[in-house]
Amino acid sequence: MQQQDVEQLVEQVAGKLGRGLSLEDLDGLLLAYSSNQAHADKVRVNFLLSKRVPVDVSAWQLSHGIATAVRPLAIPANPDLGMLGRVCVPLMVRGFRVGYLWVQQDSEDENPAVILAQLPDVGQEIEQLSGLLLESNTAESEFRRGREREFLAACSGEANALAAVAGWKEIQGKGPWQVVTVLDADGWAGGPDPIASTLIHRSAALQATVGVDVVLFSAGTETHSVVLFRESVGRANHAQVLVHYQLELAKRSGRPVHRIILGISEGFAKPRELAEAYRQSRLAAQAAAVDPQLGELVDCRATGIYQLLGSAGGGASAWADSGSVYVRMLEDHDRNLELLPVLELVYDNDGSIQDVATKLHLHRSSIYNRLGRIRQLLGVDPLRGMPRLELHAALKMRRWAMRPRI
């Protein structure tokens, strides 16, 4: 991005509208502003001096929905802040949010509809401005895209890519490593535009890992991000990346993000083991997505039977039918979902009826009654021997069949 081009475009739009404009990035940093200051309010003056949106002003703007807006939005005046009304123009490219253009009203009495009616006249300039901001995004630079493609190819086991990545200065002499798959548990399928989805994950991963010394590289795909860490025993850095990634993904996608999962591989010391580490991290993220009890920071070794299910392979429909006669019998008699979920919780809690009752907010007698119904239906004790092994494994197979396809 040429700063001069951005400033010229802002001045050009301001001239056509006859109003004061300011351009900011997603973090509230000033990128450019027009020279038209005739009706500048206190907020605008302070913003131009400090180059950053104050916290109270940001809160006012966010409370009116700018973070999720995809069309121009009128923000009412706030006399307590010394702020006239203004119109926020979200700058979007292929569904990717790159910044905000602000158009200030000239007076308290002016109707924002006047500004909204003017905006179609500068639609071409706003589109050009959005494109320039996109080009300035580090994740969208051609060099960065090429490096990410090479890294993801190495994660897939491509020999030439593995050799190339092994020679990167970011990698050499900094092992052992671990691969982390970052997954949005609810929104992993992405949107209708795969290019935009990939860019959103690229940018979120890049911004979430800034300043985290143990992170060596990150890449984005249509459904998730992949991050290369130096191996560590603790998980404080992983937790930091999780929190920041959730914030960045929400900011760039313009939608709520409720649960981010980090699937963590075993450590590895040889670059050629990168593909296996990626497989482990992806499996851990998938397992946690379908089995929330695993948590959000999930080591592959902690996923239990899901490691076996993942290693066994199979297509999209694999494990949809566990083949367990006992499970089929329970499914036929469990229309209200009172039996199978309780049975799985009993297994997952080492048979502790009290723990299960507490989690379900039920009395222990209710749990015993349901187990008695299961025992009667099956004709065997579901808490002992081979029937227990079969039922527990089959219940996990049902979950694994619903895993995100990443």
Side-chain angles (χ1 to χ4, degrees), residues 244-303:
H244 289 170
Y245 190 93
Q246 185 169 3
L247 294 172
E248 293 293 336
L249 188 59
K251 184 163 58 178
R252 282 163 170 74
S253 62
R255 60 175 176 80
V257 177
H258 301 293
R259 184 171 180 244
I260 294 295
I261 296 167
L262 266 61
I264 305 168
S265 78
E266 293 289 291
F268 63 101
K270 299 175 182 177
R272 67 172 180 269
E273 297 171 329
L274 175 64
E276 170 60 17
Y278 174 49
R279 186 195 69 81
Q280 292 173 0
S281 73
R282 196 171 66 246
L283 182 150
Q286 290 173 304
V290 295
D291 204 339
Q293 66 156 339
L294 293 172
E296 280 69 51
L297 297 176
V298 189
D299 288 87
C300 181
R301 64 170 62 188
T303 58

Side-chain angles (χ1 to χ4, degrees), residues 204-223:
L206 193 61
Q207 294 300 321
T209 56
V210 169
V212 184
D213 293 338
V214 295
V215 171
L216 304 177
F217 194 74
S218 67
T221 75
E222 182 182 347
T223 57

Side-chain angles (χ1 to χ4, degrees), residues 15 22 36 91 116 121 218 221 233 237 240 256 299 334 337 396:
S22 60
N36 184 342
L91 300 179
L116 293 171
D121 296 335
S218 67
T221 75
V233 177
N237 288 305
Q240 177 184 341
D299 288 87
D334 193 20
L337 298 178
K396 296 308 179 188

Side-chain angles (χ1 to χ4, degrees), residues 1-212:
M1 174 181 70
Q2 297 293 324
Q3 181 64 24
Q4 184 178 358
D5 293 338
V6 171
E7 291 173 352
Q8 287 177 350
L9 266 176
V10 169
E11 286 288 5
Q12 188 174 335
V13 174
K16 283 191 174 183
L17 298 179
R19 300 177 182 276
L21 304 183
S22 60
L23 176 69
E24 68 184 56
D25 68 11
L26 296 177
D27 295 313
L29 291 177
L30 178 66
L31 299 177
Y33 61 94
S34 67
S35 56
N36 184 342
Q37 306 294 336
H39 302 280
D41 59 14
K42 176 183 174 182
V43 166
R44 177 174 170 81
V45 171
N46 289 341
F47 181 39
L48 301 188
L49 291 174
S50 66
K51 312 297 184 187
R52 179 181 286 276
V53 178
V55 174
D56 52 357
V57 175
S58 177
W60 178 252
Q61 294 171 168
L62 289 170
S63 72
H64 289 87
I66 69 166
T68 56
V70 295
R71 295 181 178 83
L73 181 69
I75 308 298
N78 186 326
D80 293 337
L81 296 175
M83 177 178 175
L84 291 172
R86 56 229 315 122
V87 169
C88 172
V89 182
L91 300 179
M92 313 280 291
V93 181
R94 301 178 67 93
F96 180 67
R97 193 177 303 269
V98 294
Y100 300 104
L101 182 68
W102 291 91
V103 187
Q104 184 186 301
Q105 293 174 210
D106 290 339
S107 68
E108 294 180 7
D109 300 327
E110 185 177 20
N111 191 324
V114 177
I115 298 176
L116 293 171
Q118 289 180 291
L119 291 177
D121 296 335
V122 291
Q124 184 175 350
E125 289 86 348
I126 289 175
E127 186 175 335
Q128 291 174 341
L129 195 57
S130 301
L132 286 173
L133 292 188
L134 179 65
E135 290 174 10
S136 74
N137 187 288
T138 307
E140 184 58 10
S141 70
E142 181 55 41
F143 176 74
R144 176 75 190 188
R145 286 201 304 267
R147 298 266 282 182
E148 291 195 23
R149 284 194 296 267
E150 193 165 52
F151 177 72
L152 292 172
C155 286
S156 298
E158 187 178 308
N160 290 338
L162 277 168
V165 170
W168 289 1
K169 65 179 181 179
E170 298 100 316
I171 308 298
Q172 286 184 327
K174 294 183 180 177
W177 310 275
Q178 60 188 180
V179 176
V180 172
T181 292
V182 188
L183 178 68
D184 178 3
D186 303 313
W188 61 269
D193 188 336
I195 296 176
S197 297
T198 299
L199 180 54
I200 287 171
H201 287 118
R202 278 179 184 163
S203 300
L206 193 61
Q207 294 300 321
T209 56
V210 169
V212 184

